[in-house]
Amino acid sequence: MITVDQALEKVLEHIDILEAEESPILGCLGQVLAEDIFSNINIPPLDNSAMDGYAVRSADTRGASRQSPRILRVIDTVVAGAISRFEVEPGTAIRIMTGAAIPKGADGVVRFEDTDESERQGIPAEIGVLEEIEAGRDIRPAGEDIAAGSLVLSKGMTIRAAEVGVLASLGRSKVMVIRRPLVAILATGDEIVDVAQPLPEGKIYNSNSYSVAALVQHYGGIPKILGIASDSEHSLMGRLRLGLDADMVITSGGVSLGDYDVVREVLAKEGEIVFWRVREKPGKPLVFGVIKGRSKAGGVSSIPFLGLAGNPVSAMVNFELFARPAILKMMGKKNLAKPTVQAVIEDAIENSDGRRVFTRVIVEKRGGQYFARLTGPQGSGILTSMARANGLVVVPEDKPGVKPGDVVEVMMLDWSEEVE
Ligand code: AMP
Ligand code: MG
């Protein structure tokens, strides 16, 4: 049986980076930029005032103080967005608002607080400057943020809120990004009933399609829910056909050794199995392969196919381990590893048969140190243990277990602040 690391390597070997497409800037949060972004403008475009005050010639303020103000004639007022028609000549000043272009002749701004404006009526004809300023004072120079012609954002970087803002500051409404993968999601099992339906005796609701679809969305993909197939090849194939235009197919259930576990049979017939079963707990019966699909051009494509075990925790854990990196790679990301922290474990965890064990925990920071405690019973059907967890303790294959007080590696699902 292959290890988690070997399995991940095999999955990623079958994953290609998707093509670039143009997207509105607000639609591409978390996507990877597919073009270098140069600026054809200075930002700010003009020297402008960082303060409300008076644009002056700094030489005119020499020796100014509260005791001996320098009196300047006020020749104009300029607001943000406007350009003064006047030039600041020696002995004059122009009243200026934050963000307004610095008028010709001026080389500094004296803030209102450093003038006697508050002692005068309305907009004064003259102003007393109470403080000496040096040239350049409270002027934001043109191009201070971005110089015209410079490279602002590089191809390959992930777009976050700040990058959206920077693109907007350049006047861009659209940008080239690696497109989001379409992920087809299929539940299997005669016992599975969709949400919002009556629940007949002996049946359970389909939670896997929804947790998996939510994870797909969370990591930047587009889920396409194909519904529920019963445990027959015919039903499975019928549903799968609806998803053969996707970039990846994810099924849940039907991959164990039971009489009705038909996912592997269908995958072997309609594609190729790359591996089945991984040395891990939970989620050992995972199957991975490729299935023949339809390319957009109408030809035959080869779609990565991940068959998750049906148990709701196994499905989610294996999604994090294998589907997440696959989605991130398709989206053009370089860093595919989930962040981990070192934590002191507060409960014992057993590893009886040499698998890599992933245990649901609540991680908290106390006194500069992370601590992790189990969420409670760890059965792979106990989905609420995932809902309580913000991390998974990783017990290596070669460790028989951990005991309270040991330092362990925890793969963070979410950061602790996000969990009660
Ligand atoms: P299987 O891998 O098909 O043997 O399923 C293992 C366990 O997971 C069984 O108890 C199933 O009832 C349960 N299960 C399978 N599919 C789902 C699903 N879509 N939602 C919730 N539980 C499921
Ligand atoms: Mg089943």
Side-chain angles (χ1 to χ4, degrees), residues 161-207:
E163 284 73 28
V164 171
V166 168
L167 288 163
S169 78
L170 298 171
R172 294 284 298 250
S173 66
K174 291 181 182 158
V175 72
M176 293 298 290
V177 289
I178 312 273
R179 71 173 174 85
R180 298 180 185 279
L182 179 68
V183 181
I185 298 164
L186 177 62
T188 73
D190 291 343
E191 77 282 29
I192 310 299
V193 169
D194 212 353
V195 296
Q197 304 296 316
L199 190 65
E201 194 173 31
K203 309 285 184 185
I204 60 169
Y205 282 124
N206 174 17
S207 62

mmCIF file of all heavy atoms in Angstrom, residues 161-207:
data_model
loop_
_atom_site.group_PDB
_atom_site.id
_atom_site.type_symbol
_atom_site.label_atom_id
_atom_site.label_comp_id
_atom_site.label_asym_id
_atom_site.label_seq_id
_atom_site.Cartn_x
_atom_site.Cartn_y
_atom_site.Cartn_z
ATOM 1 N N ALA A 161 -6.946 40.976 -1.526
ATOM 2 C CA ALA A 161 -7.674 42.252 -1.534
ATOM 3 C C ALA A 161 -6.742 43.404 -1.936
ATOM 4 O O ALA A 161 -7.142 44.299 -2.695
ATOM 5 C CB ALA A 161 -8.286 42.503 -0.165
ATOM 6 N N ALA A 162 -5.502 43.380 -1.454
ATOM 7 C CA ALA A 162 -4.590 44.488 -1.751
ATOM 8 C C ALA A 162 -4.295 44.556 -3.251
ATOM 9 O O ALA A 162 -4.225 45.649 -3.822
ATOM 10 C CB ALA A 162 -3.281 44.323 -0.966
ATOM 11 N N GLU A 163 -4.129 43.381 -3.892
ATOM 12 C CA GLU A 163 -3.851 43.372 -5.326
ATOM 13 C C GLU A 163 -5.073 43.868 -6.107
ATOM 14 O O GLU A 163 -4.937 44.573 -7.114
ATOM 15 C CB GLU A 163 -3.455 41.966 -5.801
ATOM 16 C CG GLU A 163 -2.029 41.556 -5.438
ATOM 17 C CD GLU A 163 -1.820 41.245 -3.971
ATOM 18 O OE1 GLU A 163 -2.794 40.827 -3.305
ATOM 19 O OE2 GLU A 163 -0.698 41.425 -3.473
ATOM 20 N N VAL A 164 -6.277 43.511 -5.645
ATOM 21 C CA VAL A 164 -7.497 44.026 -6.288
ATOM 22 C C VAL A 164 -7.471 45.554 -6.228
ATOM 23 O O VAL A 164 -7.738 46.241 -7.222
ATOM 24 C CB VAL A 164 -8.772 43.467 -5.607
ATOM 25 C CG1 VAL A 164 -10.018 44.171 -6.131
ATOM 26 C CG2 VAL A 164 -8.881 41.959 -5.830
ATOM 27 N N GLY A 165 -7.107 46.082 -5.070
ATOM 28 C CA GLY A 165 -7.026 47.536 -4.902
ATOM 29 C C GLY A 165 -5.979 48.167 -5.816
ATOM 30 O O GLY A 165 -6.224 49.199 -6.443
ATOM 31 N N VAL A 166 -4.812 47.535 -5.894
ATOM 32 C CA VAL A 166 -3.742 48.068 -6.752
ATOM 33 C C VAL A 166 -4.187 48.073 -8.216
ATOM 34 O O VAL A 166 -3.983 49.057 -8.936
ATOM 35 C CB VAL A 166 -2.436 47.257 -6.564
ATOM 36 C CG1 VAL A 166 -1.424 47.601 -7.643
ATOM 37 C CG2 VAL A 166 -1.840 47.513 -5.184
ATOM 38 N N LEU A 167 -4.834 46.988 -8.645
ATOM 39 C CA LEU A 167 -5.327 46.939 -10.034
ATOM 40 C C LEU A 167 -6.319 48.070 -10.284
ATOM 41 O O LEU A 167 -6.264 48.746 -11.318
ATOM 42 C CB LEU A 167 -5.983 45.576 -10.317
ATOM 43 C CG LEU A 167 -4.995 44.405 -10.437
ATOM 44 C CD1 LEU A 167 -5.729 43.063 -10.303
ATOM 45 C CD2 LEU A 167 -4.243 44.467 -11.758
ATOM 46 N N ALA A 168 -7.205 48.288 -9.322
ATOM 47 C CA ALA A 168 -8.176 49.379 -9.468
ATOM 48 C C ALA A 168 -7.457 50.716 -9.518
ATOM 49 O O ALA A 168 -7.826 51.601 -10.311
ATOM 50 C CB ALA A 168 -9.183 49.339 -8.328
ATOM 51 N N SER A 169 -6.400 50.882 -8.726
ATOM 52 C CA SER A 169 -5.684 52.165 -8.706
ATOM 53 C C SER A 169 -5.037 52.450 -10.051
ATOM 54 O O SER A 169 -4.755 53.592 -10.386
ATOM 55 C CB SER A 169 -4.653 52.201 -7.570
ATOM 56 O OG SER A 169 -3.489 51.469 -7.919
ATOM 57 N N LEU A 170 -4.790 51.392 -10.841
ATOM 58 C CA LEU A 170 -4.222 51.573 -12.182
ATOM 59 C C LEU A 170 -5.311 51.785 -13.234
ATOM 60 O O LEU A 170 -5.024 51.946 -14.411
ATOM 61 C CB LEU A 170 -3.411 50.336 -12.571
ATOM 62 C CG LEU A 170 -2.196 50.025 -11.690
ATOM 63 C CD1 LEU A 170 -1.619 48.674 -12.058
ATOM 64 C CD2 LEU A 170 -1.156 51.123 -11.830
ATOM 65 N N GLY A 171 -6.564 51.683 -12.791
ATOM 66 C CA GLY A 171 -7.672 51.863 -13.718
ATOM 67 C C GLY A 171 -8.086 50.582 -14.411
ATOM 68 O O GLY A 171 -8.882 50.621 -15.362
ATOM 69 N N ARG A 172 -7.577 49.446 -13.948
ATOM 70 C CA ARG A 172 -7.902 48.174 -14.594
ATOM 71 C C ARG A 172 -9.223 47.636 -14.038
ATOM 72 O O ARG A 172 -9.417 47.593 -12.831
ATOM 73 C CB ARG A 172 -6.812 47.132 -14.301
ATOM 74 C CG ARG A 172 -5.458 47.441 -14.903
ATOM 75 C CD ARG A 172 -5.418 47.164 -16.388
ATOM 76 N NE ARG A 172 -5.660 45.771 -16.690
ATOM 77 C CZ ARG A 172 -4.746 44.911 -17.149
ATOM 78 N NH1 ARG A 172 -3.505 45.331 -17.356
ATOM 79 N NH2 ARG A 172 -5.059 43.660 -17.416
ATOM 80 N N SER A 173 -10.118 47.179 -14.909
ATOM 81 C CA SER A 173 -11.340 46.526 -14.436
ATOM 82 C C SER A 173 -11.266 45.029 -14.660
ATOM 83 O O SER A 173 -12.025 44.272 -14.061
ATOM 84 C CB SER A 173 -12.563 47.094 -15.158
ATOM 85 O OG SER A 173 -12.497 46.754 -16.528
ATOM 86 N N LYS A 174 -10.341 44.598 -15.522
ATOM 87 C CA LYS A 174 -10.220 43.170 -15.824
ATOM 88 C C LYS A 174 -8.751 42.797 -15.835
ATOM 89 O O LYS A 174 -7.893 43.654 -16.048
ATOM 90 C CB LYS A 174 -10.798 42.864 -17.194
ATOM 91 C CG LYS A 174 -12.301 43.005 -17.258
ATOM 92 C CD LYS A 174 -12.772 42.666 -18.639
ATOM 93 C CE LYS A 174 -14.287 42.838 -18.754
ATOM 94 N NZ LYS A 174 -14.656 43.025 -20.149
ATOM 95 N N VAL A 175 -8.492 41.519 -15.669
ATOM 96 C CA VAL A 175 -7.114 41.069 -15.609
ATOM 97 C C VAL A 175 -7.063 39.608 -16.056
ATOM 98 O O VAL A 175 -8.056 38.889 -15.952
ATOM 99 C CB VAL A 175 -6.606 41.277 -14.156
ATOM 100 C CG1 VAL A 175 -7.237 40.281 -13.200
ATOM 101 C CG2 VAL A 175 -5.110 41.226 -14.068
ATOM 102 N N MET A 176 -5.893 39.189 -16.577
ATOM 103 C CA MET A 176 -5.741 37.787 -16.979
ATOM 104 C C MET A 176 -5.328 36.952 -15.767
ATOM 105 O O MET A 176 -4.353 37.272 -15.090
ATOM 106 C CB MET A 176 -4.656 37.658 -18.062
ATOM 107 C CG MET A 176 -5.007 38.290 -19.394
ATOM 108 S SD MET A 176 -6.455 37.563 -20.204
ATOM 109 C CE MET A 176 -5.807 35.958 -20.659
ATOM 110 N N VAL A 177 -6.087 35.899 -15.502
ATOM 111 C CA VAL A 177 -5.780 34.993 -14.382
ATOM 112 C C VAL A 177 -5.916 33.554 -14.865
ATOM 113 O O VAL A 177 -6.596 33.283 -15.865
ATOM 114 C CB VAL A 177 -6.748 35.197 -13.189
ATOM 115 C CG1 VAL A 177 -6.479 36.505 -12.483
ATOM 116 C CG2 VAL A 177 -8.211 35.112 -13.631
ATOM 117 N N ILE A 178 -5.277 32.626 -14.137
ATOM 118 C CA ILE A 178 -5.499 31.208 -14.418
ATOM 119 C C ILE A 178 -6.932 30.896 -13.990
ATOM 120 O O ILE A 178 -7.347 31.258 -12.892
ATOM 121 C CB ILE A 178 -4.540 30.311 -13.601
ATOM 122 C CG1 ILE A 178 -3.101 30.802 -13.699
ATOM 123 C CG2 ILE A 178 -4.713 28.844 -13.997
ATOM 124 C CD1 ILE A 178 -2.297 30.307 -14.826
ATOM 125 N N ARG A 179 -7.665 30.231 -14.868
ATOM 126 C CA ARG A 179 -9.093 30.041 -14.565
ATOM 127 C C ARG A 179 -9.296 29.062 -13.407
ATOM 128 O O ARG A 179 -8.409 28.292 -13.045
ATOM 129 C CB ARG A 179 -9.842 29.582 -15.821
ATOM 130 C CG ARG A 179 -9.558 28.178 -16.260
ATOM 131 C CD ARG A 179 -10.498 27.780 -17.420
ATOM 132 N NE ARG A 179 -10.151 26.483 -17.950
ATOM 133 C CZ ARG A 179 -10.580 25.328 -17.445
ATOM 134 N NH1 ARG A 179 -11.368 25.313 -16.388
ATOM 135 N NH2 ARG A 179 -10.211 24.176 -17.977
ATOM 136 N N ARG A 180 -10.495 29.128 -12.845
ATOM 137 C CA ARG A 180 -10.860 28.238 -11.739
ATOM 138 C C ARG A 180 -11.248 26.871 -12.287
ATOM 139 O O ARG A 180 -11.949 26.798 -13.302
ATOM 140 C CB ARG A 180 -12.065 28.803 -10.976
ATOM 141 C CG ARG A 180 -11.824 30.149 -10.338
ATOM 142 C CD ARG A 180 -13.075 30.608 -9.607
ATOM 143 N NE ARG A 180 -12.908 31.958 -9.083
ATOM 144 C CZ ARG A 180 -12.284 32.248 -7.955
ATOM 145 N NH1 ARG A 180 -11.773 31.269 -7.219
ATOM 146 N NH2 ARG A 180 -12.168 33.494 -7.545
ATOM 147 N N PRO A 181 -10.831 25.782 -11.608
ATOM 148 C CA PRO A 181 -11.229 24.460 -12.091
ATOM 149 C C PRO A 181 -12.701 24.167 -11.802
ATOM 150 O O PRO A 181 -13.227 24.547 -10.750
ATOM 151 C CB PRO A 181 -10.322 23.503 -11.308
ATOM 152 C CG PRO A 181 -9.893 24.259 -10.104
ATOM 153 C CD PRO A 181 -9.914 25.719 -10.457
ATOM 154 N N LEU A 182 -13.326 23.481 -12.756
ATOM 155 C CA LEU A 182 -14.684 22.982 -12.556
ATOM 156 C C LEU A 182 -14.554 21.564 -11.996
ATOM 157 O O LEU A 182 -13.904 20.714 -12.612
ATOM 158 C CB LEU A 182 -15.413 22.968 -13.897
ATOM 159 C CG LEU A 182 -16.855 22.451 -13.875
ATOM 160 C CD1 LEU A 182 -17.754 23.417 -13.103
ATOM 161 C CD2 LEU A 182 -17.392 22.275 -15.296
ATOM 162 N N VAL A 183 -15.134 21.333 -10.834
ATOM 163 C CA VAL A 183 -14.991 20.035 -10.168
ATOM 164 C C VAL A 183 -16.362 19.368 -10.054
ATOM 165 O O VAL A 183 -17.268 19.886 -9.399
ATOM 166 C CB VAL A 183 -14.363 20.205 -8.759
ATOM 167 C CG1 VAL A 183 -14.192 18.841 -8.087
ATOM 168 C CG2 VAL A 183 -13.014 20.922 -8.860
ATOM 169 N N ALA A 184 -16.493 18.226 -10.734
ATOM 170 C CA ALA A 184 -17.753 17.477 -10.679
ATOM 171 C C ALA A 184 -17.761 16.619 -9.420
ATOM 172 O O ALA A 184 -16.749 15.990 -9.075
ATOM 173 C CB ALA A 184 -17.884 16.605 -11.920
ATOM 174 N N ILE A 185 -18.898 16.613 -8.728
ATOM 175 C CA ILE A 185 -18.990 15.937 -7.432
ATOM 176 C C ILE A 185 -20.163 14.965 -7.463
ATOM 177 O O ILE A 185 -21.308 15.352 -7.729
ATOM 178 C CB ILE A 185 -19.199 16.981 -6.309
ATOM 179 C CG1 ILE A 185 -17.994 17.930 -6.258
ATOM 180 C CG2 ILE A 185 -19.417 16.299 -4.962
ATOM 181 C CD1 ILE A 185 -18.262 19.193 -5.477
ATOM 182 N N LEU A 186 -19.851 13.701 -7.179
ATOM 183 C CA LEU A 186 -20.884 12.670 -7.256
ATOM 184 C C LEU A 186 -20.903 11.849 -5.970
ATOM 185 O O LEU A 186 -19.871 11.330 -5.545
ATOM 186 C CB LEU A 186 -20.598 11.755 -8.460
ATOM 187 C CG LEU A 186 -21.546 10.582 -8.652
ATOM 188 C CD1 LEU A 186 -22.974 11.060 -8.892
ATOM 189 C CD2 LEU A 186 -21.087 9.701 -9.813
ATOM 190 N N ALA A 187 -22.087 11.744 -5.364
ATOM 191 C CA ALA A 187 -22.256 10.873 -4.196
ATOM 192 C C ALA A 187 -22.741 9.515 -4.692
ATOM 193 O O ALA A 187 -23.468 9.434 -5.688
ATOM 194 C CB ALA A 187 -23.269 11.477 -3.241
ATOM 195 N N THR A 188 -22.314 8.461 -4.010
ATOM 196 C CA THR A 188 -22.817 7.133 -4.367
ATOM 197 C C THR A 188 -23.367 6.443 -3.128
ATOM 198 O O THR A 188 -22.908 6.689 -2.024
ATOM 199 C CB THR A 188 -21.713 6.223 -4.950
ATOM 200 O OG1 THR A 188 -20.835 5.814 -3.885
ATOM 201 C CG2 THR A 188 -20.907 6.925 -6.027
ATOM 202 N N GLY A 189 -24.320 5.572 -3.324
ATOM 203 C CA GLY A 189 -24.854 4.764 -2.222
ATOM 204 C C GLY A 189 -26.373 4.678 -2.273
ATOM 205 O O GLY A 189 -27.047 5.698 -2.398
ATOM 206 N N ASP A 190 -26.882 3.435 -2.199
ATOM 207 C CA ASP A 190 -28.335 3.223 -2.212
ATOM 208 C C ASP A 190 -29.005 3.876 -1.006
ATOM 209 O O ASP A 190 -30.211 4.130 -1.024
ATOM 210 C CB ASP A 190 -28.639 1.709 -2.174
ATOM 211 C CG ASP A 190 -28.228 1.024 -3.468
ATOM 212 O OD1 ASP A 190 -28.025 1.739 -4.478
ATOM 213 O OD2 ASP A 190 -28.102 -0.217 -3.472
ATOM 214 N N GLU A 191 -28.205 4.108 0.051
ATOM 215 C CA GLU A 191 -28.782 4.650 1.288
ATOM 216 C C GLU A 191 -28.807 6.169 1.322
ATOM 217 O O GLU A 191 -29.303 6.765 2.270
ATOM 218 C CB GLU A 191 -27.990 4.115 2.498
ATOM 219 C CG GLU A 191 -26.626 4.771 2.766
ATOM 220 C CD GLU A 191 -25.485 4.295 1.854
ATOM 221 O OE1 GLU A 191 -25.761 3.904 0.698
ATOM 222 O OE2 GLU A 191 -24.332 4.353 2.289
ATOM 223 N N ILE A 192 -28.274 6.813 0.290
ATOM 224 C CA ILE A 192 -28.089 8.266 0.363
ATOM 225 C C ILE A 192 -29.293 8.995 -0.258
ATOM 226 O O ILE A 192 -29.726 8.685 -1.366
ATOM 227 C CB ILE A 192 -26.803 8.696 -0.381
ATOM 228 C CG1 ILE A 192 -25.609 7.847 0.061
ATOM 229 C CG2 ILE A 192 -26.515 10.171 -0.181
ATOM 230 C CD1 ILE A 192 -25.262 7.931 1.522
ATOM 231 N N VAL A 193 -29.782 9.992 0.478
ATOM 232 C CA VAL A 193 -30.942 10.780 0.048
ATOM 233 C C VAL A 193 -30.514 12.243 0.050
ATOM 234 O O VAL A 193 -29.750 12.666 0.922
ATOM 235 C CB VAL A 193 -32.108 10.572 1.048
ATOM 236 C CG1 VAL A 193 -33.234 11.561 0.798
ATOM 237 C CG2 VAL A 193 -32.606 9.146 0.983
ATOM 238 N N ASP A 194 -30.993 13.012 -0.919
ATOM 239 C CA ASP A 194 -30.545 14.403 -0.958
ATOM 240 C C ASP A 194 -31.250 15.247 0.098
ATOM 241 O O ASP A 194 -32.351 14.912 0.552
ATOM 242 C CB ASP A 194 -30.710 15.017 -2.344
ATOM 243 C CG ASP A 194 -29.613 16.057 -2.609
ATOM 244 O OD1 ASP A 194 -28.842 16.370 -1.663
ATOM 245 O OD2 ASP A 194 -29.521 16.550 -3.728
ATOM 246 N N VAL A 195 -30.611 16.337 0.448
ATOM 247 C CA VAL A 195 -31.161 17.245 1.462
ATOM 248 C C VAL A 195 -32.518 17.773 0.992
ATOM 249 O O VAL A 195 -32.819 17.758 -0.203
ATOM 250 C CB VAL A 195 -30.199 18.425 1.739
ATOM 251 C CG1 VAL A 195 -28.894 17.924 2.327
ATOM 252 C CG2 VAL A 195 -29.920 19.231 0.466
ATOM 253 N N ALA A 196 -33.299 18.221 1.949
ATOM 254 C CA ALA A 196 -34.614 18.795 1.689
ATOM 255 C C ALA A 196 -35.618 17.756 1.158
ATOM 256 O O ALA A 196 -36.662 18.119 0.611
ATOM 257 C CB ALA A 196 -34.533 19.991 0.727
ATOM 258 N N GLN A 197 -35.289 16.467 1.285
ATOM 259 C CA GLN A 197 -36.230 15.390 0.936
ATOM 260 C C GLN A 197 -36.657 14.710 2.235
ATOM 261 O O GLN A 197 -35.938 14.770 3.216
ATOM 262 C CB GLN A 197 -35.532 14.332 0.050
ATOM 263 C CG GLN A 197 -34.903 14.873 -1.208
ATOM 264 C CD GLN A 197 -35.928 15.450 -2.148
ATOM 265 O OE1 GLN A 197 -36.981 14.872 -2.371
ATOM 266 N NE2 GLN A 197 -35.646 16.637 -2.674
ATOM 267 N N PRO A 198 -37.814 14.024 2.219
ATOM 268 C CA PRO A 198 -38.156 13.213 3.401
ATOM 269 C C PRO A 198 -37.094 12.122 3.565
ATOM 270 O O PRO A 198 -36.469 11.720 2.575
ATOM 271 C CB PRO A 198 -39.497 12.590 3.038
ATOM 272 C CG PRO A 198 -39.971 13.277 1.812
ATOM 273 C CD PRO A 198 -38.797 13.911 1.138
ATOM 274 N N LEU A 199 -36.873 11.681 4.786
ATOM 275 C CA LEU A 199 -35.826 10.695 5.049
ATOM 276 C C LEU A 199 -36.462 9.342 5.376
ATOM 277 O O LEU A 199 -36.877 9.092 6.498
ATOM 278 C CB LEU A 199 -34.955 11.161 6.220
ATOM 279 C CG LEU A 199 -33.675 10.355 6.452
ATOM 280 C CD1 LEU A 199 -32.709 10.507 5.266
ATOM 281 C CD2 LEU A 199 -33.000 10.771 7.747
ATOM 282 N N PRO A 200 -36.552 8.444 4.398
ATOM 283 C CA PRO A 200 -37.148 7.130 4.667
ATOM 284 C C PRO A 200 -36.293 6.332 5.652
ATOM 285 O O PRO A 200 -35.088 6.589 5.760
ATOM 286 C CB PRO A 200 -37.148 6.448 3.289
ATOM 287 C CG PRO A 200 -36.898 7.521 2.294
ATOM 288 C CD PRO A 200 -36.111 8.579 3.003
ATOM 289 N N GLU A 201 -36.916 5.372 6.298
ATOM 290 C CA GLU A 201 -36.191 4.543 7.259
ATOM 291 C C GLU A 201 -35.029 3.848 6.556
ATOM 292 O O GLU A 201 -35.171 3.364 5.429
ATOM 293 C CB GLU A 201 -37.143 3.491 7.858
ATOM 294 C CG GLU A 201 -36.549 2.856 9.083
ATOM 295 C CD GLU A 201 -37.549 1.942 9.797
ATOM 296 O OE1 GLU A 201 -38.416 1.352 9.110
ATOM 297 O OE2 GLU A 201 -37.449 1.825 11.017
ATOM 298 N N GLY A 202 -33.886 3.819 7.211
ATOM 299 C CA GLY A 202 -32.722 3.128 6.653
ATOM 300 C C GLY A 202 -31.858 4.015 5.776
ATOM 301 O O GLY A 202 -30.802 3.594 5.321
ATOM 302 N N LYS A 203 -32.309 5.240 5.514
ATOM 303 C CA LYS A 203 -31.539 6.127 4.621
ATOM 304 C C LYS A 203 -30.822 7.201 5.443
ATOM 305 O O LYS A 203 -31.183 7.469 6.600
ATOM 306 C CB LYS A 203 -32.468 6.809 3.615
ATOM 307 C CG LYS A 203 -33.390 5.860 2.874
ATOM 308 C CD LYS A 203 -32.663 5.069 1.821
ATOM 309 C CE LYS A 203 -33.651 4.210 1.029
ATOM 310 N NZ LYS A 203 -32.994 3.325 0.067
ATOM 311 N N ILE A 204 -29.846 7.843 4.816
ATOM 312 C CA ILE A 204 -29.180 9.005 5.444
ATOM 313 C C ILE A 204 -29.052 10.116 4.413
ATOM 314 O O ILE A 204 -29.058 9.871 3.210
ATOM 315 C CB ILE A 204 -27.773 8.658 6.006
ATOM 316 C CG1 ILE A 204 -26.856 8.163 4.883
ATOM 317 C CG2 ILE A 204 -27.845 7.638 7.129
ATOM 318 C CD1 ILE A 204 -25.404 8.047 5.296
ATOM 319 N N TYR A 205 -28.918 11.325 4.919
ATOM 320 C CA TYR A 205 -28.774 12.459 4.017
ATOM 321 C C TYR A 205 -27.380 12.503 3.412
ATOM 322 O O TYR A 205 -26.397 12.069 4.022
ATOM 323 C CB TYR A 205 -29.048 13.781 4.748
ATOM 324 C CG TYR A 205 -30.520 14.048 4.955
ATOM 325 C CD1 TYR A 205 -31.030 14.280 6.230
ATOM 326 C CD2 TYR A 205 -31.394 14.086 3.871
ATOM 327 C CE1 TYR A 205 -32.380 14.528 6.425
ATOM 328 C CE2 TYR A 205 -32.750 14.342 4.059
ATOM 329 C CZ TYR A 205 -33.238 14.553 5.334
ATOM 330 O OH TYR A 205 -34.564 14.800 5.522
ATOM 331 N N ASN A 206 -27.314 13.061 2.222
ATOM 332 C CA ASN A 206 -26.062 13.244 1.502
ATOM 333 C C ASN A 206 -25.307 14.431 2.083
ATOM 334 O O ASN A 206 -25.588 15.578 1.751
ATOM 335 C CB ASN A 206 -26.384 13.508 0.033
ATOM 336 C CG ASN A 206 -25.155 13.854 -0.785
ATOM 337 O OD1 ASN A 206 -24.030 13.615 -0.359
ATOM 338 N ND2 ASN A 206 -25.386 14.412 -1.964
ATOM 339 N N SER A 207 -24.366 14.166 2.962
ATOM 340 C CA SER A 207 -23.563 15.301 3.454
ATOM 341 C C SER A 207 -22.291 15.465 2.633
ATOM 342 O O SER A 207 -21.787 16.575 2.464
ATOM 343 C CB SER A 207 -23.220 15.133 4.936
ATOM 344 O OG SER A 207 -22.444 13.971 5.132
#
